[in-house]
Amino acid sequence: MKLKRAFYTKDVLTVASELLGKVLVKNERGKMFSGRIVELEAYDGRTDKAAHTYGGKTKRNEVMFNEGGYLYVYLSYGVHYCCNVVTGTEGTGTAILIRAVEPLEGVERMIMNRFGKKKLSEKEMYHLTSGPGKVCKAFGITKGHSGVDLTGDKIYLMDSVLKKDEKIAVSKRIGITKSAHLPWRYFIKNNPYLSRK
DNA sequence: CCACGGATTGGCT
DNA sequence: GCCAATCCGTGGA
């Protein structure tokens, strides 16, 4: 089942806690890419100085002010794209950064997008999508996908539940200096595809 | 107008 | 462990 609008329009921390284990899917003219979300971070422009929306609406962040269920993509350090799931009601300015997934479909295409070859060692496979920039590179997600409606059929999320032995853990967010104390990074404990342990 | 810094990554010391 | 790559929004002159 594809996740519907109502899943996304809830409060950002509620959606964040429900988003782990869901499957990110990209259908690129029939070429499928998919992966289970194993790590994410919440950003809330109303209170959180690290959020892109903290200073109000700009051309870059306007998608993040949409109602929930849209994709917000930005360029990090001028080098890497990172993708976010917009949450909440219109005008809220909240989103969830997808930091790592466990690859499912389209693995060979992901390896090609990331490394320009077809095979990786077993060890290298754990680094295929273990970071926000890596996920976008592997899936072929760029700035042109910012604003895509996640209730459409190009990029969307499928419902799925955590495995019986999987537990959610929470920590501080990675790589930020402002509002760094907030415990808004959620991840599946001991999952081998995390960006960090 | 210019300087600065950032939700990252991979390669080199 | 350290650092360059490289775009763009923000803030100060």
Side-chain angles (χ1 to χ4, degrees), chain A residues 38-172:
Chain A
V38 299
E39 177 181 345
L40 54 85
E41 288 176 358
Y43 288 86
D44 183 343
R46 295 169 296 182
T47 55
D48 166 17
K49 294 189 176 74
H52 290 168
T53 47
Y54 184 73
K57 194 181 279 191
T58 65
K59 192 159 193 175
R60 173 220 207 184
N61 70 20
E62 62 184 355
V63 170
M64 212 173 136
F65 285 99
N66 288 356
E67 69 171 333
Y70 289 84
L71 196 70
Y72 166 55
V73 184
Y74 71 94
L75 185 62
S76 176
Y77 291 93
V79 183
H80 306 284
Y81 291 108
C82 297
C83 72
N84 298 253
V85 173
V86 178
T87 61
T89 52
E90 188 174 352
T92 313
T94 57
I96 296 167
L97 173 70
I98 296 178
R99 286 195 55 90
V101 306
E102 178 177 334
L104 297 175
E105 287 174 278
V107 170
E108 197 167 283
R109 280 188 283 272
M110 293 184 199
I111 297 170
M112 190 56 81
N113 283 348
R114 285 259 290 133
F115 302 103
K117 57 181 184 180
K118 289 190 171 183
K119 294 268 182 201
L120 291 182
S121 69
E122 194 177 337
K123 198 175 169 186
E124 289 171 315
M125 282 299 295
Y126 292 117
H127 302 290
L128 180 58
T129 52
S130 61
K134 296 176 186 178
V135 171
C136 282
K137 187 90 185 282
F139 276 66
I141 294 173
T142 69
K143 195 112 185 76
H145 295 100
S146 198
V148 166
D149 187 343
L150 295 174
T151 64
D153 54 14
K154 207 166 174 165
I155 299 175
Y156 51 91
L157 296 177
M158 295 291 284
D159 200 8
S160 175
V161 292
L162 293 178
K163 295 170 191 167
K164 209 171 184 179
D165 58 335
E166 288 180 323
K167 292 191 171 57
I168 295 177
V170 172
S171 76
K172 292 177 185 176

Side-chain angles (χ1 to χ4, degrees), chain A residues 170-181:
Chain A
V170 172
S171 76
K172 292 177 185 176
R173 294 172 296 178
I174 292 171
I176 57 169
T177 53
K178 292 179 264 182
S179 299
H181 63 285

